[in-house]
Amino acid sequence: MSIRNNHLTTQEYQENFTDIHPPFETQDAALIEANRCLFCYDPPCMKMCPTSINVPKFIKQITTDNIKGSAHTIFSSNIMGAGCSKVCPVEKLCEGSCVYNFMHEAPISIAKLQRYATEIAMENKWQLFERKPSTWKRVAIIGAGPSGLSCAHSLSKEGIDVTIYEKESKAGGLMTYGIAAYKVTPEFCEAEVNYIISIGGIEIKYNQELGKDITLAELQQNYDAVYLAFGVGLARQLEIPGENLTGVVDAIKFIYELRTNDFSSINVGDKVAVIGMGMTAIDAATQAKRLGAKEVTLIYRRTEDEMPCTEHELNIAKLDGCAVIWLASPKEVLGKDGKLTQLICDVMKLGEPDSSGRRSPIASGETFTLDVDMVIKAAGQMPFEKLVNSNQMENNNGKILVKDASINNLKGVFAGGDCVNGGKEVVDAVQAGKDGAAAILEYLKIY
């Protein structure tokens, strides 16, 4: 067993990381699917969308060949509607609530239709929104991820001049750096960012990190308002012996490296264990397999009924050949010459529900051992608690506390997205950005 790169041929990498959700091949295919829609009154699909996209309306517009109108309907609610059509867990949101499910038929392919309209708009560079004349008000945003970009676009439409400070060298946040490469490519992410900022009035300053290159006090002094959207990103540690052995890596870093380098340069083991069962764990496991790992095993301390990922995502991992061990928790990492060789796990059983409503896992006293050469930690992400506390932000274990997107003890400072909720879906971050923009406009008395 060994951790190395260049497991596969160039063609194999291309095949393994091709678009997992291919678009409609023809206009007729899109029209046939759009015409299946029943255009429900009080549509449940719209209710289940965190950004409240008017799904029946945009689908109806596709049936009448009004693609520009369809894209406008989508982008009016979700300026990242193109990206969300690729990464949203639609099986538990819009498509999961489609009435066809209750008739034992396949739901409308809402995401695929959304992708159809929005990608045509992006390819043709249709500017569907007109920016109002400048109000000469200036707002700083920390983080060019979904929440920050959504807030920036909403503010710019109203004539606010926006400057986004981004610690990375590219914008997009989670979309660019934290999602499986077979869902969205770096090229798409860059195109989406460029499309969003093409409205004008938005400047992005890269390699600018809060607390290092800029301070909140400076931003408060130089801008009329500040919106914090720096997300989360600190990997939760396992807190077990041997965790620092070579071969034990964070899922966040693993995916980041994969997203920013050539696939052939990414090191992966022959026998990989992934700790966790959230979306990040699934992405790490499937990508490890697609990079050439012979065996990948997902380890989760609860049962399938309590898993945070969707069944659809789990099926992707299973189809890729990933194994799953339920009711297991890492106890110790063993190694030789500083490199891991085995993972010892506790066999768990479920006790009473915890604060999240899920039954708490309890060690049964039994253990088992896996021969592995790589362990990927995907047990969750933690807020930037040190950064939050150093700026005297009211918080709950690092999650910023807000009321109507405003931080109570910091005048003119607002926050939203993962840095507030601890980590949800991209579409939730987009809505948080809209809510933040609305609160800022009210604060600035811009209507």
Side-chain angles (χ1 to χ4, degrees):
M1 297 191 298
S2 65
I3 298 178
R4 59 186 176 85
N5 59 15
N6 211 25
H7 284 253
L8 308 174
T9 66
T10 300
Q11 183 176 348
E12 286 174 323
Y13 283 122
Q14 290 176 344
E15 291 174 353
N16 286 354
F17 288 93
T18 191
D19 194 339
I20 197 171
H21 300 300
F24 288 111
E25 294 185 359
T26 64
Q27 180 185 11
D28 286 346
L31 288 173
I32 290 170
E33 182 61 22
N35 277 298
R36 287 183 62 228
C37 183
L38 301 176
F39 310 112
C40 302
Y41 173 77
D42 197 24
C45 52
M46 182 176 175
K47 289 182 178 180
M48 286 301 292
C49 175
T51 57
S52 300
I53 293 175
N54 192 330
V55 177
K57 181 179 179 180
F58 94 70
I59 294 179
K60 185 69 174 179
Q61 289 168 313
I62 290 175
T63 67
T64 60
D65 201 27
N66 181 8
I67 307 303
K68 185 173 288 188
S70 179
H72 183 270
T73 297
I74 296 164
F75 287 138
S76 293
S77 294
N78 183 347
I79 193 57
M80 296 192 77
C84 285
S85 72
K86 296 169 179 277
V87 305
C88 259
V90 292
E91 59 276 4
K92 71 176 183 181
L93 296 174
C94 56
E95 291 184 18
S97 66
C98 178
V99 296
Y100 273 118
N101 289 297
F102 302 103
M103 296 187 287
H104 306 291
E105 292 188 33
I108 302 298
S109 298
I110 298 171
K112 203 169 182 179
L113 289 168
Q114 183 169 310
R115 176 178 178 175
Y116 173 75
T118 54
E119 287 194 346
I120 290 176
M122 287 175 58
E123 288 167 4
N124 286 280
K125 294 182 171 57
W126 290 337
Q127 183 48 256
L128 304 175
F129 303 95
E130 183 177 351
R131 184 173 189 256
K132 293 181 180 178
S134 177
T135 62
W136 307 111
K137 295 290 186 179
R138 302 170 68 240
V139 172
I141 294 176
I142 301 297
S147 183
L149 289 168
S150 172
C151 183
H153 189 269
S154 296
L155 291 173
S156 182
K157 283 194 298 184
E158 300 302 321
I160 305 294
D161 296 320
V162 178
T163 302
I164 305 177
Y165 293 85
E166 169 55 48
K167 71 176 182 178
E168 300 289 351
S169 60
K170 294 181 180 179
L174 180 69
M175 291 287 290
T176 299
Y177 293 104
I179 289 179
Y182 53 76
K183 293 180 181 176
V184 283
T185 65
E187 293 76 18
F188 170 83
C189 292
E190 183 177 3
E192 184 170 47
V193 170
N194 290 337
Y195 184 75
I196 291 170
I197 66 176
S198 67
I199 190 174
I202 302 172
E203 178 187 9
I204 304 179
K205 294 188 175 183
Y206 295 103
N207 303 305
Q208 296 291 306
E209 184 175 351
L210 182 64
K212 180 180 178 182
D213 304 293
I214 48 173
T215 68
L216 183 57
E218 290 173 339
L219 297 177
Q220 287 179 280
Q221 183 177 354
N222 295 326
Y223 293 87
D224 296 294
V226 179
Y227 181 70
L228 304 175
F230 49 74
V232 291
L234 299 174
R236 192 177 302 282
Q237 301 304 298
L238 301 177
E239 307 294 344
I240 60 174
E243 187 172 3
N244 296 321
L245 288 171
T246 299
V248 182
V249 301
D250 294 334
I252 298 169
K253 183 178 180 181
F254 177 70
I255 296 174
Y256 181 96
E257 292 295 325
L258 195 151
R259 295 283 302 182
T260 54
N261 294 281
D262 186 80
F263 299 135
S264 63
S265 69
I266 306 301
N267 291 323
V268 69
D270 288 323
K271 294 186 176 182
V272 181
V274 179
I275 313 301
M277 193 55 74
M279 295 298 201
T280 300
I282 296 292
D283 283 357
T286 53
Q287 289 184 115
K289 201 73 171 68
R290 291 172 185 231
L291 285 170
K294 294 177 181 176
E295 297 178 14
V296 176
T297 304
L298 283 151
I299 296 172
Y300 184 53
R301 59 182 182 165
R302 293 183 170 93
T303 71
E304 187 170 355
D305 291 336
E306 291 84 26
M307 67 181 185
C309 73
T310 65
E311 184 178 358
H312 174 77
E313 291 288 328
L314 177 60
N315 286 339
I316 292 175
K318 288 180 176 179
L319 287 170
D320 276 0
C322 299
V324 181
I325 300 178
W326 305 102
L327 289 171
S329 181
K331 182 178 183 178
E332 185 177 359
V333 178
L334 302 180
K336 183 179 181 181
D337 300 326
K339 298 179 180 179
L340 84 94
T341 56
Q342 291 181 315
L343 176 67
I344 300 176
C345 295
D346 280 315
V347 175
M348 310 299 285
K349 59 183 180 180
L350 294 182
E352 296 300 315
D354 61 14
S355 58
S356 68
R358 293 181 296 173
R359 295 172 64 191
S360 300
I362 302 170
S364 68
E366 298 180 42
T367 64
F368 64 89
T369 301
L370 292 176
D371 292 328
V372 294
D373 55 9
M374 188 175 192
V375 170
I376 302 177
K377 299 180 289 186
Q381 299 181 46
M382 299 183 296
F384 295 105
E385 189 168 0
K386 184 177 179 181
L387 175 64
V388 169
N389 285 325
S390 66
N391 286 281
Q392 289 80 50
M393 302 175 198
E394 291 186 357
N395 68 91
N396 177 20
N397 296 321
K399 292 187 289 186
I400 302 173
L401 295 175
V402 298
K403 182 178 181 181
D404 298 327
S406 176
I407 302 177
N408 293 332
N409 64 322
L410 295 174
K411 184 180 171 77
V413 181
F414 303 78
D418 288 356
C419 64
V420 170
N421 61 43
K424 289 188 176 181
E425 307 295 344
V426 170
V427 68
D428 294 293
V430 172
Q431 183 58 41
K434 290 165 56 183
D435 294 339
I440 291 170
L441 291 171
E442 183 175 351
Y443 171 75
L444 298 177
K445 307 301 181 186
I446 305 295
Y447 300 101

